Amino acid sequence: MPATSALTADIEVFTQSSIRIRTKQPSGASLTIYADTFQMSEAPHDADLILITHDHYDHYSPEDIAKVAKTDAPTPTIVVVPERMAADVQRELGPACDVRAVAPDSHYEIGGLAFDTVPSYNINKRFHPREAGWVGYVLDLCGRTVYISGDTDATPEARAVRCDVALVPIGGTYTMTPREAADLINEMAPQVAIPTHYGSIVGRREDAQTFAAAVQPAIAVEVKIP
């Protein structure tokens, strides 16, 4: 398994839970993956896949999808969404994107990427009900596993995830607080934890340090939000 720096060097976090991973496929071809693209300051038009966890505006933003989706590629960017969103998203994005529907607790291989879906929901608040079918993603990136949790609490399904890198929300209100997220990470025990979903709409910048202080020393914490 690569050292910590190699595990996360290709992972970027922009605003909120907006994530980009530039990696390699087993064939050696490059693969650019976005998740929950939001408030992008640039328009790189380089996405091979865009993974959407749920339909809230700070996670599903057609305006920002348009900034990262390829415009002149022979095949359109693939946009992966929970099942209940698929028809509306395809109508909204049109033929510029290839929309694929996914369900929780399932395995997929789409666009050269293998991944599992994990239910993403609240257990002590009403913002993300389990019955909505929202998802997190566990990506298999050439043997390195990366968990993009979406807006979740410390659910039994999240606690059961085993991965090398975990990106989890810490801003409170709609998701976990920093200490709740740290407790989840301590149970999951990834090699690296990356906090998301703080410092803009909810949560303070200082929450990242509160989170890091509560994570066990054996787990590296990397703060990626600029």
Side-chain angles (χ1 to χ4, degrees), residues 110-150:
I110 296 175
L113 176 67
F115 60 88
D116 295 309
T117 53
V118 181
S120 181
Y121 61 94
N122 292 138
I123 56 177
N124 58 8
K125 53 188 83 73
R126 59 179 176 81
F127 303 106
H128 307 90
R130 182 172 185 169
E131 58 268 22
W134 305 142
V135 299
Y137 298 91
V138 180
L139 314 183
D140 182 353
L141 303 177
C142 295
R144 170 188 51 154
T145 49
V146 176
Y147 175 39
I148 298 172
S149 69

Side-chain angles (χ1 to χ4, degrees), residues 89-107:
V89 170
Q90 188 67 80
R91 281 194 296 270
E92 191 158 19
L93 299 183
C97 293
D98 176 5
V99 177
R100 309 288 184 92
V102 296
D105 288 317
S106 300
H107 176 78

Side-chain angles (χ1 to χ4, degrees), residues 146-224:
V146 176
Y147 175 39
I148 298 172
S149 69
D151 281 7
T152 192
D153 285 331
T155 66
E157 295 90 346
R159 292 181 184 278
V161 170
R162 295 296 174 262
C163 60
D164 299 308
V165 181
L167 294 99
V168 295
I170 68 167
T173 306
Y174 306 107
T175 65
M176 296 176 284
T177 67
R179 293 187 184 280
E180 289 170 338
D183 288 344
L184 171 63
I185 288 296
N186 290 338
E187 184 166 347
M188 290 173 56
Q191 294 188 49
V192 186
I194 300 173
T196 65
H197 208 276
Y198 70 96
S200 55
I201 296 171
V202 292
R204 304 171 303 162
R205 294 282 179 175
E206 295 80 6
D207 287 343
Q209 303 310 316
T210 302
F211 169 75
V215 170
Q216 293 174 356
I219 302 169
V221 174
E222 296 191 12
V223 177
K224 295 277 190 176

Side-chain angles (χ1 to χ4, degrees), residues 29-153:
S30 62
L31 190 66
T32 299
I33 305 160
Y34 285 83
D36 289 351
T37 310
F38 181 60
Q39 291 187 348
M40 295 294 294
S41 61
E42 299 178 351
H45 297 295
D46 60 349
D48 296 299
L49 292 103
I50 303 170
L51 310 177
I52 302 299
T53 62
H54 65 292
D55 69 355
H56 291 174
Y57 76 94
D58 53 332
H59 296 263
Y60 169 60
S61 168
E63 174 186 353
D64 291 289
I65 288 174
K67 291 180 181 179
V68 303
K70 293 181 177 179
T71 54
D72 299 319
T75 57
T77 295
I78 297 171
V79 181
V80 179
V81 302
E83 285 179 327
R84 69 182 291 176
M85 296 177 60
D88 288 342
V89 170
Q90 188 67 80
R91 281 194 296 270
E92 191 158 19
L93 299 183
C97 293
D98 176 5
V99 177
R100 309 288 184 92
V102 296
D105 288 317
S106 300
H107 176 78
Y108 297 89
E109 294 186 17
I110 296 175
L113 176 67
F115 60 88
D116 295 309
T117 53
V118 181
S120 181
Y121 61 94
N122 292 138
I123 56 177
N124 58 8
K125 53 188 83 73
R126 59 179 176 81
F127 303 106
H128 307 90
R130 182 172 185 169
E131 58 268 22
W134 305 142
V135 299
Y137 298 91
V138 180
L139 314 183
D140 182 353
L141 303 177
C142 295
R144 170 188 51 154
T145 49
V146 176
Y147 175 39
I148 298 172
S149 69
D151 281 7
T152 192
D153 285 331

